[in-house]
Each structure stands twice: as structure tokens, then as C-alpha cells.
């Protein structure tokens, strides 16, 4: 009998190996219904969505839902893992507030569970951020033994990627970063163009079908559609992607190559 290639089974195995207690009410990717990973070293990508989420709100969920649907076929996004900030780091972030509003990680994770997420594609990691690092490394190592290539893509809000600075996805051991203006505006989008980001290359359109150039229909599909309550017209949202790339003259340093899908499309 062939061995399972379901992501949830691999996650559960690594959790058992590391003594990580899983929430029995919310098993990783519903185990038996979880995504099947591609073998033979074809890249499988999983979104890593870190943040305070104090509390998680509809904007957080809208960003996750939009990117899962519209990141581009070339990414082969198998799933997403939400990583809430540790309680002590959240408290340190709010030390200037006299009466800070602080939800425990368990409460923030539970609010995510109650949000109606697609359980076969989204999982909330409830361990510490330090335990996540070893968990991720073990998961990728176990999969590599099966010739399965698993890579993580950083999902962040527009406050992490702006015209002033762009977060380096490699700081989270991710191959690239994604954001969108589906939940809040981005400051690098103009009506008919995209503003150049610091230390980034020129914007270029992402291919939605492997190496094939995207058609107008494909671009509209990748951008996503939403009904504007003011004008009852479909609004096109941007999905922006940043790729780390090694500079040929200095292989030890890198800078992000920025792409967008679609390039320069305007809200209608």
C-alpha cells in the first residue's frame, strides 16, 4: 500500500516526534482531508502567516482567503499555517499602554478556529515561536526523505511591505513574501501604476500558468473580484509578491525581486 502524501499526516507525525500537544478539536488540516503533496521534488508551497492577531479580525481573514485563492498557479499553494505571536512578545510590544488589551495565545488561536476557516487548508500552530522553528525544520527534513520539496511563503499585511521598507521573507526562512490590498490600502499602488519599492527591482507581472504570459482573463482572475458597496461595481485587488534574489556580484547578499499580479491594473 502506498504511503500517504497528505500534509496533515506528516504534520501529526512531526508533532508526535517533538512532543507537541495538538488540539484534538482542530487536528492539522483535518488529517484525512488534508492536501496531497506533489512528489519528485516538485515544489509545494505553504503560507506562513505570523502576527499578533490581538484579536484576529475580518481584515486578517480577508487577506488569508484572498491570497489562498489568487496567489498564482505557479506557486501551488497547498495550505496555510497561522503563527500567533507568543504571549511574552505581545506583552513587550504593548508595554507603553497603561492598560493594554492582551489576549492569550490560546484565546487568539481559538478565535481563529471560530472564524470558519477551511480546515483542510488552514491550521493554527499553537506552540511557541521557538518550537515552530524546530518543527518546521523537522517537517521539511522528513518530507525531503520522501523526495517531497516543501517551501514556505511569508504572508504579511501591507504594513510589512510599503514604499518605505519591505520585510525580507528570508528572516522567516521563507522563499518569498506576499501581501494584498484586499483588506486595507497599500501605499505603493497608484491608479494606473505601482510605486517602486526600496531595494527592489522593477515591478513585473507574475505568470499564472507556469511560464506562459498571463492573459487579461487570467489577470482578472488572479487579482480577485469584490463588489464595491458604493458603486456596485467589481473592484480589482492587487496581489503583490516579493522574491529574494542573489546579486551576481555579491552572492552572500540578496535583495528582493518584486512582482505583482496584475501589473498596473486600476481599481474600477
Amino acid at each position: 500500500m502506498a504511503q500517504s502524501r497528505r500534509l496533515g499526516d506528516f504534520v501529526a507525525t512531526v508533532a508526535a516526534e517533538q512532543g507537541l500537544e495538538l488540539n484534538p478539536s482542530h487536528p492539522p488540516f483535518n488529517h484525512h482531508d488534508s492536501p496531497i503533496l506533489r512528489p519528485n521534488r516538485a515544489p509545494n508551497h505553504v503560507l506562513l502567516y505570523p502576527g499578533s492577531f490581538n484579536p484576529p479580525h475580518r481584515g486578517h481573514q480577508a487577506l488569508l482567503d484572498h491570497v489562498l485563492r489568487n496567489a498564482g498557479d505557479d506557486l501551488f499553494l497547498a495550505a496555510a499555517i497561522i503563527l500567533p505571536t507568543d504571549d511574552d512578545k505581545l506583552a513587550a510590544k504593548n508595554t507603553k499602554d497603561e492598560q493594554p488589551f492582551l489576549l492569550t495565545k490560546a484565546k487568539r488561536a481559538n478565535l481563529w478556529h471560530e472564524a470558519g476557516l477551511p480546515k483542510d487548508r488552514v491550521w493554527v500552530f499553537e506552540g511557541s515561536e521557538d518550537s515552530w522553528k524546530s518543527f518546521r525544520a523537522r517537517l521539511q527534513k522528513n518530507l525531503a526523505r520522501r523526495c517531497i520539496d516543501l517551501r514556505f511563503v511569508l504572508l504579511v499585511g501591507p504594513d510589512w511591505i510599503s514604499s518605505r521598507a519591505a520585510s525580507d521573507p528570508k528572516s522567516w526562512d521563507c522563499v518569498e513574501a506576499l501581501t494584498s490590498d484586499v483588506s486595507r490600502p497599500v501605499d505603493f499602488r497608484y491608479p494606473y501604476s505601482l510605486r517602486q519599492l526600496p531595494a527592489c527591482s522593477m515591478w513585473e507581472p507574475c505568470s499564472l500558468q507556469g511560464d506562459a504570459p498571463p492573459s487579461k482573463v487570467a489577470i482578472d482572475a488572479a487579482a480577485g473580484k469584490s463588489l464595491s458597496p458604493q458603486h456596485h461595481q467589481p473592484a480589482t485587488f492587487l496581489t503583490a509578491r516579493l522574491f529574494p534574489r542573489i546579486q551576481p556580484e555579491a552572492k552572500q547578499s540578496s535583495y528582493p525581486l518584486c512582482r505583482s499580479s496584475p501589473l498596473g491594473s486600476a481599481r474600477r
Side-chain angles (χ1 to χ4, degrees):
M1 183 177 178
Q3 289 182 298
S4 170
R5 287 188 283 110
R6 293 192 180 277
L7 177 59
D9 293 334
F10 286 107
V11 168
T13 298
V14 173
E17 292 174 352
Q18 296 202 319
L20 179 67
E21 185 177 352
L22 297 177
N23 188 330
S25 301
H26 303 281
F29 307 108
N30 264 10
H31 284 302
H32 302 300
D33 297 323
S34 67
I36 297 176
L37 301 176
R38 300 186 297 179
N40 303 322
R41 305 194 185 282
N44 299 270
H45 293 94
V46 170
L47 287 176
L48 178 62
Y49 192 12
S52 298
F53 306 122
N54 184 50
H57 51 67
R58 291 182 179 179
H60 294 136
Q61 186 174 1
L63 175 62
L64 176 60
D65 289 342
H66 176 74
V67 171
L68 275 174
R69 292 189 179 99
N70 303 298
D73 292 344
D74 60 305
L75 268 184
F76 192 80
L77 277 182
I81 296 177
I82 298 171
L83 181 62
T85 300
D86 291 342
D87 289 339
D88 57 341
K89 293 183 179 179
L90 181 62
K93 183 180 177 181
N94 293 271
T95 52
K96 294 183 179 180
D97 296 340
E98 292 184 3
Q99 294 181 322
F101 176 79
L102 300 175
L103 296 176
T104 65
K105 175 177 281 194
K107 179 61 176 176
R108 287 176 278 141
N110 191 55
L111 288 172
W112 269 117
H113 293 316
E114 295 174 352
L117 302 172
K119 295 182 179 180
D120 59 334
R121 295 197 69 193
V122 181
W123 178 51
V124 182
F125 184 86
E126 300 184 48
S128 68
E129 292 181 57
D130 284 340
S131 67
W132 161 252
K133 295 176 183 178
S134 58
F135 181 91
R136 181 203 64 237
R138 175 68 68 88
L139 177 62
Q140 290 177 306
K141 184 177 180 179
N142 286 3
L143 287 168
R145 291 172 181 164
R146 297 277 304 277
C147 296
I148 296 176
D149 182 4
L150 182 68
R151 306 177 187 182
F152 287 93
V153 177
L154 183 66
L155 176 61
V156 294
D159 52 330
W160 288 43
I161 298 176
S162 70
S163 61
R164 297 179 299 278
S167 296
D168 185 355
K170 293 195 300 180
S171 64
W172 288 88
D173 292 317
C174 293
V175 295
E176 60 182 274
L178 287 87
T179 192
S180 172
D181 61 352
V182 68
S183 58
R184 69 163 85 171
V186 293
D187 70 352
F188 54 82
R189 181 172 187 172
Y190 292 152
Y192 299 100
S193 65
L194 294 172
R195 185 176 182 179
Q196 185 62 26
L197 300 184
C200 293
S201 70
M202 299 296 291
W203 287 94
E204 58 184 69
C206 290
S207 173
L208 305 179
Q209 302 290 339
D211 294 327
S215 65
K216 183 180 185 302
V217 174
I219 286 177
D220 287 343
K225 297 291 185 180
S226 176
L227 197 63
S228 169
Q230 292 84 2
H231 305 290
H232 300 285
Q233 295 291 329
T236 302
F237 295 114
L238 172 76
T239 303
R241 293 167 56 176
L242 283 81
F243 299 74
R245 187 176 70 178
I246 302 298
Q247 298 184 53
E249 66 275 13
K251 294 186 178 181
Q252 298 303 316
S253 60
S254 64
Y255 65 97
L257 167 65
C258 305
R259 297 183 180 179
S260 71
S261 175
L263 176 64
S265 81
R267 288 184 183 272
R268 294 192 291 271

